[in-house]
Amino acid sequence: HWFDCGGAAHVLEAAGGPGRQWRLSPDAAQRLTALRVGHGANETGGYLYGGYDFALKQLYVVAVSDVPPGTKQSAAAIDLGPAGRTRFERQIERRAGGKLARIGTWHSHPRSGPGMSAKDRKTMEKFRGGDRDNGVPTLLVISSPKGNGAHLWV
């Protein structure tokens, strides 16, 4: 099932979803915007870290990584390198002691809105296999000048 979450608030309901929410901490929201703006006209992206509360049907994003090594970027596309390779991500792992997990990916749409493209759907499908094997939903956040949108596959 696909659920699209919209709006610029830090707590977002999944449109059409059965009470699912994603929560973006203020620090993560600021970092997401700063990383998007800092890369100008090129798409950029990285990984999202946080946790799940399956009983409450909520995802918590508390950290946002920058572009990992091995990423291919252009004005119209991004293909993320493997997770866990940035200094920021290694600090998260060390400081959190295994309490935070990679819970999704993010990328920017610098000249459009936070809606999904056909390539975004393929990216989600790529990550869905591993997430399904681990029993977790797949989260893709798109940051744009028009706001942040979350796309959730459960």
Side-chain angles (χ1 to χ4, degrees), residues 88-152:
F88 183 77
E89 290 170 292
R90 289 189 301 272
Q91 287 176 336
I92 291 168
E93 289 175 18
R94 188 176 61 249
R95 290 179 182 169
K99 304 267 191 239
L100 295 179
R102 182 192 59 79
I103 62 167
T105 64
W106 77 275
H107 71 276
S108 64
H109 284 179
R111 287 179 296 287
S112 64
M116 287 181 64
S117 67
K119 184 173 186 328
D120 294 334
R121 289 189 185 275
K122 288 181 183 177
T123 297
M124 243 182 138
E125 289 172 6
K126 178 177 111 175
F127 286 102
R128 180 64 192 140
D131 291 343
R132 184 180 46 240
D133 292 346
N134 292 322
V136 296
T138 302
L139 175 64
L140 171 68
V141 171
I142 299 173
S143 181
S144 80
K146 297 177 182 178
N148 298 321
H151 308 278
L152 183 63

